[in-house]
Amino acid sequence: MPAVTVSDVSALPRVPQAGPTDLDRGVRSVTTAPRGVEGEGFPVRRAFQGVDLRDLDPFLHMDQMGEVEYAPGEPKGTSWHPHRGFETVTYIIDGTFEHGDSHGGGGTITDGDTQWMTAGSGLLHIERPPEALVRSGGLFHGLQLWVNLPRADKWLPPKYQDLRGGESALVATPDGGALLRVIAGDVAGVSGPGSTHTPMAMVHATVSPGARLRLPWPRAYNALVYVLSGAGTVGADRRPVRTGQLAVFGPGDVVTVDGNTAQESRHPGLDVVVLGGQPIREPVAWAGPFVMNTEAEVYQAFEDYQRGRLGVVPSDHVPHGSLPGSFN
C-alpha cells in the first residue's frame, strides 16, 4: 500500500533522537471509525466521528476512502458541491481521482499525490474517477481531510496546490524501521511541500513489523494518529490500535508508534497518518459544506450558493454518472 517507496532507506535523512528531557505524549483516547458512504456511494471510514472538535482543532473531518477493489463499472466519486471557509486535502494512496472547480481549476491525482484546495470565499467542486478507471475497475484508497481556516483567511480567493507524490519529503528512523513521507509542515528536520494557513503537519508513516517510531512533535501542536492499515501500539504506555482507529494524544514532545511483530499478509507494515496543528481556538459554525464562525455566516453561505454566487458548473464540463446534492 505505501504510495511512495524508496530503494535504499539508509540513504535518507534520519529522524532526530529525542532529548533526555523530552516528554513522551500519553494517549487520551482511542476511537474506532464507523463505516459509511459518501458522494455517489463510495465506502468511507469516518475517522474523527465521536471526537470533540476541541481535541481536533484545527482539523474538522477526515474520511478514509476505501480501501476498495472496484469491479468494472463500479468506481464512484462526487457530484458538484460547494465549499466555503476551510480547506480540503485529498491524498490518494492507490488509484486515480480527477478534480475540477467552478473557477476552471482542476487536475488528476494518483498514487501518492495530494490535492490541497483552499475553498476560502467559496466555489463549486467535483471529484471523480477518470472514465478509464470506471471502465476497468481497480484498487482505490485515499484520505480526505478538512482543515479549518482562521477567521482572517475564510474569505481568501480559492486556490489549489497540486502536490506530486515525488515531492514529499522523505525521512527514516535511525534504524530504518520506519519510513515517513512528510506532506505538509516541518517534521524531523525536513519540510513537506504543502503550504498551510495554520501551522500544522501531515505525515504518512510506514512502520515495519516490530519497529518503533519516536517522532519529535511541536509542543504547541495537538497530535493525532490514524491507522490506515495494520496493528500496533501508540504512546509510551503502548495502547493497542488497529486499522480504522484514531488515537488522540495529550501534551508532550514525542509521538510514539510501535508496529506489531505480526501484521496482515496484505500489508507488510503498520501504516498511519500523523496529524497535528496549532489550535485556532475560534468559534466554529458548521453546516454541511460550509464552516464559518457564526450561524449568520453559514446562512449567508447557503443563500450565496442558491443564488449562484459561489460559481456555476463550467458549460464544457459533462459530469459522468454524477448525482446532484452531494456535499463531500
Side-chain angles (χ1 to χ4, degrees):
M1 182 183 67
V4 177
T5 60
V6 295
S7 57
D8 184 6
V9 174
S10 66
L12 295 177
R14 293 305 202 227
V15 174
Q17 300 276 9
T21 61
D22 287 343
L23 175 66
D24 278 271
R25 290 179 179 242
V27 176
R28 296 175 56 185
S29 66
V30 173
T31 53
T32 301
R35 295 178 183 269
V37 294
E38 189 50 81
E40 298 165 343
F42 57 87
V44 297
R45 283 186 169 103
R46 306 290 194 192
F48 291 168
Q49 190 159 320
V51 181
D52 194 306
L53 273 179
R54 290 171 294 185
D55 291 331
L56 300 173
D57 188 10
F59 310 111
L60 298 161
H61 167 83
M62 189 167 74
D63 278 343
Q64 180 181 8
M65 304 181 297
E67 175 182 13
V68 58
E69 183 75 43
Y70 283 122
E74 286 186 344
K76 299 174 176 67
T78 73
S79 61
W80 285 95
H81 55 280
H83 288 304
R84 174 181 280 176
F86 64 103
E87 301 182 286
T88 65
V89 181
T90 306
Y91 174 51
I92 298 299
I93 299 168
D94 294 294
T96 305
F97 238 20
E98 295 176 341
H99 53 94
D101 72 16
S102 52
H103 289 254
T108 300
I109 50 176
T110 187
D111 304 345
D113 297 339
T114 301
Q115 178 249 312
W116 197 300
M117 185 183 77
T118 303
S121 59
L123 79 175
L124 303 183
H125 182 236
I126 189 171
E127 292 176 299
R128 60 187 189 177
E131 288 283 10
L133 182 61
V134 174
R135 290 193 300 268
S136 67
L139 182 62
F140 180 74
H141 190 199
L143 289 175
Q144 185 170 96
L145 170 71
W146 290 13
V147 185
N148 200 7
L149 286 170
R151 187 191 307 268
D153 292 335
K154 286 188 179 293
W155 298 97
L156 289 172
K159 73 170 187 177
Y160 279 112
Q161 299 174 67
D162 278 304
L163 310 175
R164 301 295 101 184
E167 298 173 353
S168 297
L170 302 178
V171 63
T173 49
D175 64 358
L179 171 64
L180 284 66
R181 307 154 198 85
V182 183
I183 298 166
D186 298 319
V187 177
V190 301
S191 297
S195 175
T196 69
H197 291 279
T198 299
M200 60 158 286
M202 179 177 180
V203 178
H204 177 183
T206 301
V207 184
S208 299
R212 164 170 282 198
L213 168 64
R214 293 193 73 229
L215 184 60
W217 203 250
R219 183 176 279 266
Y221 287 11
N222 61 357
L224 313 168
V225 169
Y226 179 74
V227 182
L228 294 166
S229 66
T233 64
V234 290
D237 54 352
R238 299 199 172 193
R239 289 277 297 273
V241 290
R242 53 178 169 79
T243 303
Q245 291 191 317
L246 176 77
V248 177
F249 288 74
D253 308 290
V254 179
V255 170
T256 303
V257 180
D258 291 276
N260 283 359
T261 302
Q263 295 289 345
E264 304 176 47
S265 58
R266 293 186 308 133
H267 301 304
L270 168 66
D271 271 85
V272 300
V273 171
V274 187
L275 294 167
Q278 187 169 311
I280 297 173
R281 295 193 177 96
E282 291 179 352
V284 174
W286 178 2
F290 306 124
V291 183
M292 306 302 291
N293 294 111
T294 68
E295 289 186 2
E297 290 172 332
V298 172
Y299 294 144
Q300 184 64 55
F302 276 107
E303 180 178 338
D304 289 347
Y305 168 55
Q306 291 163 355
R307 294 179 179 273
R309 295 170 183 157
L310 269 64
V312 296
V313 176
S315 59
D316 61 349
H317 191 107
V318 181
H320 54 268
S322 63
L323 301 172
S326 174
F327 287 164
N328 184 49

